[in-house]
Amino acid sequence: MSLAEELPTLLPQWLPQQRWFAAKGRPVREVAVAAVTSLLTEGEPLLDLVLVAVTFDDDSPVQHYQLLVARREHLRGDLEHVCIGQIGNCLAYDGLWDPAVTEWLLESVRNGRTIGNVRFVPEPGAKIAEGAIGRVLGVEQSNTSVSWGDQSILKMFRRVAPGLNPDLELHRALRSMGSNEVAALQGAIEGELDGQPVTLGMLQDFAANSADGWSMALASVRDLLAEADLRADEVGGDFAGEASRLGETVAVVHAELRQALGADEADPRALAATWHDRLTTVAGQVPALTEYVQPIRDVYDAVAALEGSIPTQRVHGDLHLGQTLRTPFGWLVIDFEGEPSAPLSERVKPDSALRDIAGMLRSFDYAAFHQLSKWEPAGDWTDPYHDSQMAWRAREWAERNRSAFCDGYTIRAGADPREQATLLRAFELDKAVYEVLYETRSRPTWAQIPLASIRRLTMESDPAG
């Protein structure tokens, strides 16, 4: 039997154990091989790039995943944990964990190889790592990344869909602008799925000695809550200066994307209608949202009543503190794939820059109240009138950093996003509605965080605090 015949019998058990598999808990009906490209056919390791189609018992849409299946007669101890199973006389395993495989992938990008429908495409003038051993980074949930020293990092997309991945598309656009706000693109791996182009991986500069914005924000909140009598601006770990600089970075990215890819306009009534539909769907699944449905609809209706059109452009689409890195030289924005649950056709559409700004404002709330939830019961701090010192200080931190981010954005954009209060609040509410559904399904103890924000947003007039 061939790899294409034997591999599908092993994957229904192996796939759900992988952290990047997006359908955990859903019964898999069948795993079929959609495409195989043999990359290394002699000696060891053998290597095949495999695209698989996963169908489910609930008849939900088919999902496609990419595997780099390597095979050796015997596995070293450091590869046993990624073993898929026996195929013929060899053991198959996830090849991204094998330095021999990743060295070949890096060389293929450098040399611009084409094998079958798989193309390794270097960026002109890119400086690609040499002489370093590839190492898998263990921090990602939805993809797998391999780094070589402090020079290059290869992100292999695990779940793939026909079409150009916006992460690659937008990085190419930003590279054409000479952007310093993203890690420079070095190359890409591209193929075909169902007769259409598909993005398999992208190689970038590695942001060495960096820290992600989420971890930095959590540390700042922790410092504040640990102090008995200091305000947010008095604590050594005050984050507001970084929040302001991050706002400047996001504004520059928006300007560069607008210059590279152009601008468009949207009808506020159509935008509000989309939000209404999403709210109806979520409210039907989350009873805790019921009491807020009408106040949320009132905000959406206020957007529908706005005169004129709404400026749109290509944006990040899923911006939050975890999508940012602080390097010794400044902030970088990463992962331009867009909202993971949205189809590719939606993720590549122009949108208002306020969507990204709202995402960051929501992220500051999350950082503050995620930390607070470790100190106080949710039944207390989710009440906007609850006046414990801890709750007051967490709100102060969130408000201070939300405001600082908007201040920084204004410096570079030349316009304050808070001046569009109605629209900004609606974008933030729409994001919080999505979060309520996600948390209810995935992390029920976190659901009070977006619910508390919805309560605040439907009561106040200044969404940025």
Side-chain angles (χ1 to χ4, degrees):
M1 295 178 68
S2 66
L3 177 140
E5 295 172 310
E6 294 188 65
L7 186 63
T9 65
L10 303 173
L11 293 180
Q13 181 177 0
W14 183 80
L15 275 175
Q17 300 176 36
Q18 309 312 305
R19 64 188 304 175
W20 42 260
F21 185 62
K24 292 182 177 64
R26 292 167 56 188
V28 173
R29 176 185 299 167
E30 182 185 21
V31 179
V33 171
V36 177
T37 302
S38 296
L39 302 178
L40 293 174
T41 58
E42 297 181 359
E44 285 195 338
L46 301 174
L47 181 64
D48 295 273
L49 194 153
V50 183
L51 301 180
V52 297
V54 183
T55 55
F56 304 94
D57 287 342
D58 59 6
D59 293 322
S60 56
V62 174
Q63 294 182 358
H64 290 92
Y65 291 89
Q66 173 189 191
L67 303 175
L68 279 162
V69 181
R71 285 174 287 166
R72 293 178 180 270
E73 188 173 350
H74 304 286
L75 289 190
R76 304 189 308 267
D78 60 330
L79 296 175
E80 290 179 352
H81 73 292
V82 290
C83 181
I84 299 173
Q86 187 85 28
I87 294 182
N89 297 323
C90 295
L91 289 170
Y93 61 98
D94 186 345
L96 286 175
W97 293 81
D98 188 338
V101 169
T102 53
E103 179 182 2
W104 184 87
L105 292 173
L106 191 67
E107 286 297 322
S108 295
V109 175
R110 179 183 290 110
N111 296 326
R113 286 188 176 120
T114 295
I115 301 176
N117 291 327
V118 178
R119 299 175 300 281
F120 299 85
V121 185
E123 287 292 310
K127 297 180 180 179
I128 298 175
E130 294 186 78
I133 295 176
R135 177 176 63 92
V136 173
L137 302 181
V139 296
E140 289 185 279
Q141 294 293 333
S142 56
N143 299 302
T144 302
S145 290
V146 181
S147 67
W148 289 265
D150 60 358
Q151 289 182 272
S152 300
I153 181 170
L154 173 67
K155 176 162 66 174
M156 296 299 289
F157 297 106
R158 289 299 194 166
R159 186 177 174 183
V160 297
L164 181 61
N165 190 302
D167 202 7
L168 176 59
E169 179 190 8
L170 297 188
H171 271 92
R172 279 180 172 159
L174 290 167
R175 189 175 194 270
S176 73
M177 302 303 300
S179 177
N180 294 314
E181 283 66 43
V182 295
L185 187 66
Q186 297 181 359
I189 305 175
E190 300 174 287
E192 289 187 8
L193 176 61
D194 296 337
Q196 299 183 55
V198 63
T199 305
L200 302 173
M202 52 187 286
L203 187 70
Q204 295 176 266
D205 288 356
F206 183 53
N209 301 316
S210 62
D212 71 273
W214 174 251
S215 298
M216 292 177 64
L218 290 184
S220 174
V221 181
R222 194 162 53 241
D223 288 348
L224 174 64
L225 297 182
E227 294 289 349
D229 56 359
L230 296 180
R231 296 173 59 91
D233 59 346
E234 298 172 327
V235 176
D238 181 27
F239 192 71
E242 293 295 348
S244 179
R245 285 186 281 273
L246 182 55
E248 291 188 57
T249 296
V250 173
V252 172
V253 168
H254 282 164
E256 291 171 337
L257 287 175
R258 191 165 54 249
Q259 187 174 351
L261 299 173
D264 206 337
E265 296 179 341
D267 183 347
R269 292 169 297 181
L271 191 57
T274 299
W275 291 335
H276 277 301
D277 290 344
R278 181 159 32 240
L279 177 59
T280 299
T281 300
V282 175
Q285 300 178 56
V286 184
L289 195 59
T290 301
E291 64 179 292
Y292 307 110
V293 168
Q294 190 54 50
I296 294 172
R297 291 199 188 281
D298 291 343
V299 176
Y300 295 169
D301 288 340
V303 171
L306 292 174
E307 295 183 0
S309 58
I310 297 171
T312 61
Q313 61 168 91
R314 293 299 298 275
V315 298
H316 185 283
D318 186 34
L319 190 60
H320 53 78
L321 286 163
Q323 307 283 38
T324 64
L325 294 176
R326 182 62 162 93
T327 75
F329 310 102
W331 284 99
L332 297 177
V333 180
I334 61 174
D335 294 338
F336 286 75
E337 290 184 70
E339 179 56 58
S341 63
L344 182 62
S345 59
E346 293 294 325
R347 289 186 277 139
V348 299
K349 286 183 178 179
D351 205 339
S352 169
L354 291 178
R355 182 175 298 281
D356 285 349
I357 296 171
M360 287 302 305
L361 298 184
R362 295 291 315 118
S363 197
F364 288 121
D365 267 9
Y366 256 79
F369 295 110
H370 169 59
Q371 287 293 71
L372 180 61
S373 67
K374 298 180 180 180
W375 295 68
E376 293 195 349
D380 292 334
W381 59 261
T382 53
D383 182 349
Y385 300 108
H386 178 59
D387 61 356
S388 79
Q389 185 190 62
M390 290 294 184
W392 184 89
R393 298 169 82 194
R395 284 195 290 270
E396 179 199 24
W397 186 96
E399 291 165 3
R400 174 173 171 77
N401 286 281
R402 288 160 61 91
S403 181
F405 176 84
C406 289
D407 288 344
Y409 191 93
T410 302
I411 291 172
R412 292 302 189 99
D416 191 336
R418 289 165 293 193
E419 294 177 353
Q420 303 179 69
T422 299
L423 191 54
L424 179 56
R425 180 165 45 171
F427 270 109
E428 195 174 350
L429 276 170
D430 179 60
K431 180 69 172 177
V433 167
Y434 164 81
E435 291 166 353
V436 167
L437 179 62
Y438 177 84
E439 303 299 5
T440 300
R441 288 176 171 176
S442 306
R443 303 178 294 196
T445 59
W446 287 42
Q448 288 296 329
I449 297 176
L451 281 171
S453 296
I454 288 172
R455 184 182 292 112
R456 170 181 59 78
L457 287 161
T458 52
M459 293 172 60
E460 68 180 19
S461 58
D462 181 359

